[in-house]
Amino acid sequence: MPDALQFPIIDLSSPDRFSIANLIRQRCVDHGFFYLVNHGVDEELISKVFEQSSNFFSLPIEEKMKLVTKNHRGYTALHAEKLDTTLTTRGDSKESFYIGPLTDDLNQWPLEEDLPSWRCTMETYHQKLLSAVTKLLSLIALSLKLEEDFFEKVGALIEPLAFIRLLHYPGDLNSSSEEIFGASAHSDYGMVTLLVTDGVPGLQICREKSKQPRVWEDVPSMSGAFIVNIGDMMEGWTNGLFRSTLHRVLQPRQDRYSVAFFTNPSKDCIVECLESCCTESCPPRFPPIKAIDYLEERVRLTYGL
């Protein structure tokens, strides 16, 4: 059995911003995951989001398929996605629902008469999470010896591509001999992800993604805290200094629900190595890339488009 990790706790309300920034830096260099508390998102709202998520996933499949994903918004069915594109097995054993930026008209919503207050709950949650993640990114900027508003200045937060992803992992689906994951091994695409779960275990990380065999460690949920992890674009900005850690979700024995909030830069933002993260002996490892180009390629691979 893998060991269970206990990540450090980052207090978003702490007045000692430089100490917190230094702690974030240490943890992002070590393994790219930490807990975030005092984030300003009420437990009551989080409970409502889980309740509404369960209500949606309990609908008949034909009702859910009326909202099948378009423009990366809406419902994705079981096995529709394979995060580890090297696997030859079926897609991942999860269903999900994507809610993107509230500033456009691309989101799909269940009918109010079917799921009362569903849209209102999700819009409130999106706004609260975007506020929390904006505060967190100012601390991440400080941790990189940058000005607090660095990510605003480079255009990452003009219209960030921020997505809620409601996730449902049905329990004990695997009746075949092939190994199926709730979410196969992957790293997240963007800047940072804030995750909250219902407490059912399953999340694991692999700190050394280039080593074989891979060593997986359990990540326990923590009441009142978000689990935060660094994404690929932040790894690109920092020239690999901050880790976009490989993670996966095992097939659970009982139904498991979680809610992820993916923060990607504005579509035209250029992600390129920070001057402070490269030297002559350590040149940029990743070429500059426009955020939307990177995201579209990763989505194409994930869904086999």
Side-chain angles (χ1 to χ4, degrees):
M1 286 290 292
D3 295 328
L5 287 165
Q6 284 297 336
F7 293 122
I9 298 169
I10 301 300
D11 184 346
L12 195 56
S13 69
S14 172
D16 191 353
R17 295 175 63 74
F18 287 97
S19 292
I20 292 294
N22 286 335
L23 186 57
I24 288 174
R25 181 184 179 95
Q26 180 185 338
R27 298 317 172 188
C28 290
V29 168
D30 287 347
H31 40 49
F33 268 75
F34 53 86
Y35 295 115
L36 188 71
V37 299
N38 293 326
H39 38 64
V41 186
D42 294 339
E43 281 291 311
E44 185 182 355
L45 176 59
I46 293 171
S47 295
K48 279 184 184 173
V49 169
F50 273 95
E51 181 185 350
Q52 296 284 12
S53 174
S54 175
N55 290 344
F56 175 79
F57 290 122
S58 298
L59 292 173
I61 184 64
E62 57 269 20
E63 290 300 310
K64 292 184 282 192
M65 290 302 288
K66 289 177 182 176
L67 296 170
V68 72
T69 185
K70 294 174 195 162
N71 300 306
H72 209 53
R73 321 290 175 93
Y75 177 68
T76 58
L78 281 171
H79 312 304
E81 173 184 275
K82 191 191 294 184
L83 289 166
D84 184 350
T85 54
T86 66
L87 293 177
T88 56
T89 54
R90 285 182 301 164
D92 298 342
S93 291
K94 65 175 180 299
E95 54 179 348
S96 70
F97 196 97
Y98 279 105
I99 300 157
L102 306 179
T103 51
D104 58 35
D105 295 319
L106 298 177
N107 284 313
Q108 302 191 72
W109 305 105
L111 293 174
E112 184 73 17
E113 59 254 37
D114 294 338
L115 294 173
S117 75
W118 201 92
R119 176 174 179 172
C120 174
T121 300
M122 298 306 165
E123 288 182 330
T124 301
Y125 189 73
H126 195 288
Q127 290 162 348
K128 291 283 188 182
L129 266 289
L130 193 54
S131 175
V133 87
T134 301
K135 292 174 188 172
L136 176 60
L137 285 168
S138 70
L139 286 168
I140 288 175
L142 279 181
S143 79
L144 291 164
K145 317 302 182 194
L146 302 166
E147 293 181 13
E148 288 189 55
D149 60 353
F150 169 80
F151 292 108
E152 285 96 331
K153 284 182 174 175
V154 296
L157 299 176
I158 296 171
E159 288 186 359
L161 298 173
F163 286 83
I164 294 172
R165 190 175 195 194
L166 308 173
L167 290 149
H168 173 223
Y169 303 88
D172 252 349
L173 277 181
N174 193 9
S175 57
S176 67
S177 59
E178 66 178 354
E179 189 173 25
I180 300 290
F181 293 96
S184 49
H186 66 286
S187 57
D188 291 346
Y189 312 158
M191 301 166 75
V192 290
T193 301
L194 275 62
L195 176 77
V196 62
T197 83
D198 62 358
V200 175
L203 178 62
Q204 296 183 325
I205 69 166
C206 172
R207 286 191 254 186
E208 302 293 342
K209 52 189 170 189
S210 60
K211 288 188 178 178
Q212 294 291 342
R214 287 174 175 166
V215 176
W216 292 96
E217 299 170 281
D218 288 329
V219 179
S221 62
M222 176 180 165
S223 180
F226 287 114
I227 299 168
V228 179
N229 66 279
I230 295 299
D232 295 339
M233 288 197 221
M234 191 65 74
E235 184 174 83
W237 256 311
T238 65
N239 208 27
L241 176 70
F242 284 10
R243 295 192 193 203
S244 177
T245 306
L246 205 63
H247 53 286
R248 69 184 185 184
V249 176
L250 301 179
Q251 177 67 57
R253 293 182 180 170
Q254 66 188 89
D255 278 33
R256 180 180 189 272
Y257 292 86
S258 65
V259 183
F261 189 77
F262 300 112
T263 313
N264 306 297
S266 307
K267 60 177 68 173
D268 291 329
C269 179
I270 303 297
V271 178
E272 57 186 333
C273 180
L274 297 167
E275 287 184 18
S276 59
C277 294
C278 61
T279 61
E280 273 191 37
S281 59
C282 184
R285 293 166 49 192
F286 313 100
I289 190 165
K290 189 185 288 189
I292 191 65
D293 294 341
Y294 181 79
L295 286 171
E296 285 179 345
E297 176 61 12
R298 287 293 299 270
V299 168
R300 187 187 68 78
L301 292 171
T302 299
Y303 291 95
L305 301 174

